Amino acid sequence: MSQRLALLIGRPDWIADVSLKFAEARRDIMELIESAIEAWTITREADQAVSELQAARIAAAPARLAIDLLRDRHLRSRGYLREVDGAFIGSHPQPSMPFREGERPHVTVPRRRRLDSITVRRERTWLGTVSSVGQCFRKKSSQKQRRYRQADK
């Protein structure tokens, strides 16, 4: 256990206890340690607890739901989330690379059109008609589109 964490949660006696310098002794009182940490964290909001831990030079970050990440000010300000156009879902936020090699974030390249639509277009061009394979692809594609629309309702 970190001395900084022991001080922060109000247990300086654990720092003074020489036996707790060894993992075996800490494992023996693991439930006590966890309950002390829980008692400290339960009285704070996640962001407040993280701020206090980081101020004490303890690495910490809150666990967030995916929907919360979409609203995160830091990620937005860094350009991590970019709006891209999807074939079926339209405009939506897409995460970019989690690192930068320069001043600006990496460019998010939109996905290419689906292979089946490209195949159908080429068949029309080369053969002058749509083969049964192309029709099969289009049929499956339109069935998927209907399923997506029904799921959105």
Side-chain angles (χ1 to χ4, degrees):
M1 163 169 247
S2 162
Q3 291 181 0
R4 293 180 187 134
L5 181 58
L7 283 173
L8 187 63
I9 65 173
R11 293 303 306 254
D13 56 310
W14 287 346
I15 298 169
D17 189 345
V18 179
S19 68
L20 293 179
K21 291 187 181 196
F22 301 100
E24 283 288 321
R26 289 193 303 271
R27 272 191 223 107
D28 291 340
I29 64 163
M30 186 58 69
E31 288 182 24
L32 178 63
I33 292 171
E34 288 180 358
S35 65
I37 293 170
E38 181 182 357
W40 182 83
T41 56
I42 206 161
T43 61
R44 292 159 174 77
E45 292 292 320
D47 291 331
Q48 179 189 0
V50 166
S51 294
E52 290 180 35
L53 288 163
Q54 289 175 348
R57 295 180 44 214
I58 300 168
R64 302 252 190 239
L65 296 173
I67 193 73
D68 295 333
L69 294 177
L70 295 175
R71 292 177 242 162
D72 188 273
R73 282 183 309 136
H74 177 73
L75 295 179
R76 287 270 179 202
S77 71
R78 306 257 316 143
Y80 177 69
L81 296 167
R82 307 310 258 329
E83 291 293 322
V84 295
D85 286 322
F88 293 108
I89 61 175
S91 180
H92 65 282
Q94 177 73 32
S96 62
M97 299 296 284
F99 57 86
R100 290 184 181 186
E101 294 176 336
E103 292 285 322
R104 301 181 52 78
H106 286 275
V107 176
T108 304
V109 179
R111 290 183 62 191
R112 293 182 53 109
R113 290 187 353 191
R114 294 170 45 125
L115 180 61
D116 55 345
S117 65
I118 293 169
T119 304
V120 169
R121 186 171 43 110
R122 285 189 181 149
E123 286 177 355
R124 283 183 181 158
T125 303
W126 293 341
L127 303 175
T129 62
V130 178
S131 72
S132 59
V133 174
Q135 290 170 348
C136 177
F137 275 133
R138 282 199 307 166
K139 184 176 181 181
K140 286 182 181 179
S141 178
S142 62
Q143 288 171 348
K144 285 181 184 178
Q145 287 176 358
R146 278 196 299 275
R147 272 190 257 137
Y148 285 129
R149 284 190 208 118
Q150 288 172 353
D152 286 342
K153 291 181 183 177

